[in-house]
Amino acid sequence: MESQSLMLNQKLEAIDILKEAVKVYAKDINFIIITILTSLPFFCFSVYNETVGQF
């Protein structure tokens, strides 16, 4: 019984951490721009690699 309440508290804490992470991400426009600029080349390379690998 006690372990179930501990697991429930840990899950709630994890959800709170994720909510805070989203708040930080949405609040800082520079972070959004940097994230997009660093993810875009990887995404393009992945799409290219999948299309070349299909043939």
Side-chain angles (χ1 to χ4, degrees):
M1 185 73 164
E2 188 176 308
S3 64
Q4 287 179 337
S5 65
L6 288 174
M7 286 182 59
L8 182 61
N9 285 339
Q10 288 177 349
K11 286 182 183 178
L12 291 177
E13 290 174 3
I15 290 172
D16 292 335
I17 291 170
L18 291 174
K19 286 181 183 178
E20 287 296 319
V22 170
K23 287 180 188 176
V24 168
Y25 184 77
K27 190 172 23 175
D28 190 9
I29 190 72
N30 290 332
F31 186 70
I32 295 171
I33 292 170
I34 290 171
T35 304
I36 291 171
L37 289 176
T38 56
S39 299
L40 191 61
F42 177 71
F43 175 74
C44 293
F45 177 74
S46 297
V47 170
Y48 172 76
N49 196 19
E50 284 294 322
T51 56
V52 171
Q54 295 294 324
F55 297 115

